Amino acid sequence: MSVKSPGTKSPGAKSPGPGRKTATLGTETIQRGAGGETHQVAGGDVPVLTTQQGIPVADDQNSARIGARGPTLLEDFHFREKIFHFDHERIPERVVHARGYGAHGFFELTESLADVTRADVLQRPGERVPAFVRFSTVAGSKGSSDLARDVRGFAVKLYTHEGNWDIVGNNIPVFFIQDAIKFPDVIHSVKPEPDRDFPQAQSAHDNFWDFVSLSPESIHMALWVMSDRAIPRSLRFMEGFGVHSFRFVNKAGKSTYVKFHWKPKQGLQSVVWNEALKINGADPDFHRRDLWNAIQSGDFPEWELGVQLFDDDFADSFDFDVLDPTKLIPEELVPVRRIGRLVLDRVVDNFFAETEQVAFCTQNIVPGVDFTNDPLLQGRNFSYLDTQLKRLGGPNFTHIPINAPKCPFHNFQQDGHMAMHNPKGRANYEPNSWGGAQGGPREDPARGFTSFPAREAGEKLRERSELFGDHYSQARQFYLSQTETERVHIQQAFTFELSKVETPPIRARVVSHLVNVDIDLATAVAQGLGLEDLPEAAPPARPLVDGLAPSPALSILRNGPDSFKGRKIGILVTDGVDAGLLKAVTDAAKAEGTNVELVAPKVGGVTLHDGTLVPAGQKINGGPSVLYDAVVLLPSTDGATLLMQEATARDFIADAYAHAKFIGYAEAALPLMERAGVRPADMDDGILKLSTPADATAFIAACRALRFWTREANVHAV
């Protein structure tokens, strides 16, 4: 918000600030900081940015810290005011991560980490502690759809014997920004545009890509969000990451850097974009329903907790700064050590009381875990507590059962809105003269939390480490780590998103960044947008690191499941369906651990050829093939004739074909398939004829590949 008042315009020229270089952006002269960040400076008719108190702001890109790599200063009033106002923009819905879904479970340690941390929960293999996990989308409101192209929150609360430990992460290991002072800006840019309040839960609009195009630090994560990572098939089939570098501290006081990973036991899987759009129309609660059904049926989702451990020598030798949240450490350089498992085995009793009121805070760590000077993490530690204070009505949100520790807790905090636990007796302060139990809780120097005594020195300044300035090398590494199928999806995603941008210079500016990532990617996107010429590469703030090796761990398709367990098949049936063939398919699916749902002309079901009546799970116009991982077509001859006149039945087949799904079919389905556009010439190895029980078993085995990706080249012309 800007208010015209005396003294808010700068009459002077746009001279570079300390440590900055000038650059040209179209007709505008901008400045680049040491970390490559964009500074736009007031001058002429451009007003001066100020705080709400009218104080001119010198730097809106960096929070104040001790040295370029030091901790953030609490005295930075501009940062605190900006974050404070942002945290309080909405009530009662979360400003970000509003659409979420949670479940209870447990964490079990499988390998002791006593050598690197004194954290009690990581000492004794076989010991379990309760856990609560909330998955979420970032940009949309509570009423948005599950399959928006978006980052997914992956927040884990462990109720340990020494207090609650929150690992508040995402399903993507990097972030858009390097400094928390930019968090309000990136979220404002991706939210519905304020003058029109649309689009909802979409990044495909001018404001978001304008921000990205002016913030090169966002390019790495933009590659992730344009990949299939942003449209997961299920919450059960995606990874989680702690994003930041943290510290482990052992009993001897030695520090080890750590990054956290959650690896799904059932492998990675995503959908394709056209499929996501149709799922949102058919079932906007697709991810919620999938998680609910899996837990209720006893197919409990499970992840392994992995850690990347490294020391100062590695940190100093790494090509990038380990404090930079827009960077990751490839697993090939620092392997992920798997030390525990997370199992979700119980749905909530009440959505509001638990999923909606659960409060995660990055500052919630336990003895043996500590922070680093990652500037985004430092800001989150301030912001999350402030957010919960506003959203949940006061300082006593920890009294809500879902947020309360399950270990004993004692303190002298009292009163406030909705206080449920006040100190008993006379003592409500310390030190006090009242001995024994009546004196209340006391300190414990041995067990209590202590910060790692890192030495911090440097000038008080607003500046980033120069190593933060390489914005393209890891983005290129990510792109080259994908399979050819995944690269095509990224190209198509950028083209789709930028086609929704109404301002041509913004499109061109984004493509100019992609030139630094990969020339083939940039060329494909430019051609898809109809740009006459490929823009020149955006000037990098720091020379790119050549020859970063591809990392197979960054690909979804290279890390898929080894079975079809937990997936779902839709079987299209009609009256007169062959009972033996239907039984063969369902038996083969059951043996694999695959779920089956019958789709029929009427939800009441169908009568098999032997006279048996079986109910259906979906009516054909309410059960499109996008809801299933593979489909089987088992109509009778008369049933196929009937369905040839039904548009949704034809769509069922056409979409399954277009989305590269495995299709099993009985002979009677061939006329229906051809009417749906799948001609004999279109038949490929992903379409299998079913005649015998052995055919059904072979079909399920083929489905373990999840998709027949080579078909995609035949279904996309533009």
Side-chain angles (χ1 to χ4, degrees):
M1 179 175 65
S2 62
V3 178
K4 292 184 178 180
S5 60
T8 61
K9 293 186 178 181
S10 174
K14 300 179 181 180
S15 57
R20 302 182 190 174
K21 299 178 182 179
T22 58
T24 301
L25 186 67
T27 59
E28 183 182 1
T29 299
I30 62 171
Q31 298 177 8
R32 298 286 190 196
E37 71 276 14
T38 300
H39 295 270
Q40 294 175 303
V41 183
D45 292 332
V46 179
V48 173
L49 179 68
T50 73
T51 68
Q52 288 184 315
Q53 305 299 323
I55 301 168
V57 173
D59 187 337
D60 192 43
Q61 308 303 312
N62 300 291
S63 52
R65 58 179 65 90
I66 300 295
R69 301 181 70 248
T72 300
L73 295 174
L74 189 61
E75 71 177 48
D76 185 351
F77 58 86
H78 169 50
F79 162 70
R80 287 188 290 115
E81 178 192 88
K82 186 175 180 180
I83 286 288
F84 171 80
H85 191 281
F86 173 72
D87 289 342
H88 295 239
E89 283 182 2
R90 309 261 202 294
I91 59 167
E93 179 178 291
R94 288 169 168 86
V95 177
V96 289
H97 297 275
R99 183 170 181 81
Y101 210 62
H104 295 273
F106 64 85
F107 171 74
E108 179 182 354
L109 188 69
T110 55
E111 180 186 333
S112 175
L113 283 181
D115 56 327
V116 293
T117 177
R118 69 184 182 102
D120 181 77
V121 69
L122 301 179
Q123 302 298 306
R124 298 168 293 278
E127 188 168 287
R128 296 181 177 183
V129 296
F132 186 81
V133 179
R134 186 178 186 271
F135 305 101
S136 56
T137 54
V138 171
S141 66
K142 279 182 62 178
S144 58
S145 300
D146 280 353
L147 257 294
R149 179 178 290 281
D150 201 353
V151 186
R152 297 303 188 282
F154 196 123
V156 180
K157 186 181 290 290
L158 301 179
Y159 301 90
T160 84
H161 300 308
E162 292 190 331
N164 291 353
W165 178 17
D166 293 352
I167 304 177
V168 194
N170 291 326
N171 74 325
I172 291 176
V174 294
F175 207 65
F176 283 113
I177 53 174
Q178 295 173 327
D179 192 305
I181 201 170
K182 300 306 298 175
F183 195 73
D185 297 302
V186 66
I187 298 302
H188 282 172
S189 77
V190 79
K191 286 284 189 177
E193 298 193 5
D195 59 346
R196 61 205 70 183
D197 199 38
F198 64 82
Q200 170 65 239
Q202 297 180 59
S203 55
H205 59 97
D206 287 53
N207 278 9
F208 175 73
W209 287 106
D210 185 43
F211 177 86
V212 170
S213 72
L214 295 171
S215 307
E217 68 202 73
S218 300
I219 295 300
H220 186 194
M221 190 167 182
L223 266 290
W224 283 80
V225 176
M226 292 302 103
S227 79
D228 293 342
R229 295 269 183 166
I231 44 175
R233 155 63 177 85
S234 165
L235 303 174
R236 300 178 290 135
F237 308 147
M238 67 182 192
E239 284 183 285
F241 302 92
V243 179
H244 308 286
S245 293
F246 287 83
R247 291 183 187 273
F248 275 153
V249 183
N250 67 12
K251 291 181 180 178
K254 180 183 177 182
S255 166
T256 302
Y257 288 108
V258 58
K259 279 183 171 285
F260 299 108
H261 298 247
W262 298 104
K263 299 285 190 180
K265 291 293 289 292
Q266 291 184 306
L268 299 176
Q269 184 180 348
S270 291
V271 299
V272 295
W273 178 235
N274 180 266
E275 188 179 13
L277 295 175
K278 292 176 178 177
I279 291 173
N280 280 335
D283 185 2
D285 303 310
F286 184 71
H287 282 161
R288 294 179 170 209
R289 194 182 313 279
D290 176 86
L291 185 65
W292 173 277
N293 288 341
I295 294 175
Q296 293 290 67
S297 67
D299 184 13
F300 301 139
E302 183 173 341
W303 291 261
E304 290 180 296
L305 174 61
V307 292
Q308 284 181 299
L309 303 173
F310 54 100
D311 56 17
D312 286 303
D313 289 340
F314 173 84
D316 293 339
S317 67
F318 192 43
D319 289 323
F320 311 96
D321 198 318
V322 299
L323 302 184
D324 181 353
T326 68
K327 305 299 190 296
L328 55 80
I329 299 176
E331 295 182 25
E332 291 74 18
L333 287 181
V334 179
V336 175
R337 179 176 167 186
R338 305 192 185 205
I339 53 94
R341 68 189 190 108
L342 173 70
V343 178
L344 300 183
D345 59 4
R346 181 167 63 89
V347 298
V348 299
D349 293 321
N350 181 274
F351 178 86
F352 179 82
E354 297 163 82
T355 305
E356 191 61 22
Q357 290 196 125
V358 67
F360 293 93
C361 297
T362 56
Q363 69 178 39
N364 290 351
I365 56 177
V366 293
V369 181
D370 205 352
F371 309 116
T372 63
N373 292 338
D374 176 334
L376 181 60
L377 175 60
Q378 294 271 318
R380 291 178 76 192
N381 287 343
F382 167 81
S383 178
Y384 277 59
L385 181 62
D386 183 50
T387 297
Q388 308 304 354
L389 179 71
K390 178 67 175 181
R391 192 174 64 84
L392 296 174
N396 293 315
F397 64 86
T398 58
H399 296 187
I400 300 171
I402 192 66
N403 296 318
K406 298 187 185 300
C407 64
F409 58 95
H410 310 278
N411 54 60
F412 292 116
Q413 296 170 13
Q414 68 175 39
D415 303 345
H417 287 291
M418 296 175 286
M420 302 296 172
H421 310 289
N422 269 4
K424 295 181 180 180
R426 186 174 189 175
N428 61 353
Y429 63 95
E430 64 86 26
N432 61 59
S433 298
W434 322 119
Q438 66 175 337
R442 299 289 193 251
E443 300 170 355
D444 187 335
R447 291 186 58 214
F449 178 87
T450 54
S451 297
F452 177 72
R455 294 182 178 272
E456 308 290 355
E459 298 176 339
K460 187 190 303 182
L461 45 76
R462 293 180 182 271
E463 189 174 302
R464 300 185 194 185
S465 163
E466 288 188 11
L467 277 181
F468 278 41
D470 185 346
H471 306 310
Y472 304 112
S473 297
Q474 283 206 347
R476 175 173 174 78
Q477 181 182 39
F478 174 77
Y479 184 71
L480 295 180
S481 298
Q482 308 304 303
T483 64
E484 183 59 32
T485 294
E486 291 169 302
R487 292 185 198 180
V488 170
H489 291 174
I490 292 172
Q491 296 166 11
Q492 293 171 340
F494 270 108
T495 303
F496 172 85
E497 294 266 323
L498 295 176
S499 72
K500 301 295 184 181
V501 172
E502 299 173 357
T503 309
I506 295 176
R507 298 181 206 153
R509 202 155 59 226
V510 174
V511 176
S512 75
H513 292 296
L514 298 183
V515 174
N516 289 321
V517 176
D518 183 81
I519 192 67
D520 292 336
L521 169 62
T523 301
V525 175
Q527 291 176 346
L529 294 172
L531 299 185
E532 293 184 2
D533 300 301
L534 187 66
E536 293 185 8
R542 185 178 178 85
L544 277 65
V545 178
D546 291 329
L548 290 179
S551 171
L554 302 181
S555 164
I556 293 176
L557 297 188
R558 291 190 172 105
N559 293 276
D562 55 8
S563 78
F564 207 48
K565 182 179 185 296
R567 274 65 182 179
K568 192 173 186 179
I569 292 178
I571 305 180
L572 183 60
V573 293
T574 65
D575 286 337
V577 59
D578 186 309
L581 197 52
L582 178 59
K583 183 178 187 303
V585 174
T586 55
D587 286 350
K590 183 178 180 181
E592 183 80 1
T594 304
N595 299 308
V596 167
E597 188 165 69
L598 300 189
V599 182
K602 298 179 181 179
V603 75
V606 296
T607 301
L608 309 185
H609 87 286
D610 63 2
T612 305
L613 177 66
V614 293
Q618 295 285 352
K619 190 175 185 293
I620 182 60
N621 56 10
S625 62
V626 294
L627 302 180
Y628 309 105
D629 296 292
V631 299
V632 173
L633 313 175
L634 299 182
S636 64
T637 301
D638 290 343
T641 301
L642 169 69
L643 292 179
M644 286 170 66
Q645 311 308 314
E646 173 55 47
T648 56
R650 300 195 299 269
D651 289 344
F652 186 94
I653 298 169
D655 280 344
Y657 181 80
H659 299 150
K661 293 180 180 177
F662 284 91
I663 301 172
Y665 71 95
E667 181 76 23
L670 284 172
L672 176 59
M673 295 170 67
E674 188 161 4
R675 184 66 181 272
V678 182
R679 302 159 301 176
D682 299 317
M683 297 292 216
D684 53 42
D685 291 341
I687 303 176
L688 289 78
K689 184 176 180 179
L690 307 179
S691 301
T692 68
D695 293 338
T697 301
F699 175 74
I700 296 297
C703 289
R704 293 170 185 163
L706 301 183
R707 303 288 173 114
F708 188 71
W709 290 116
T710 55
R711 187 188 303 152
E712 276 203 321
N714 300 324
V715 298
H716 294 293
V718 295

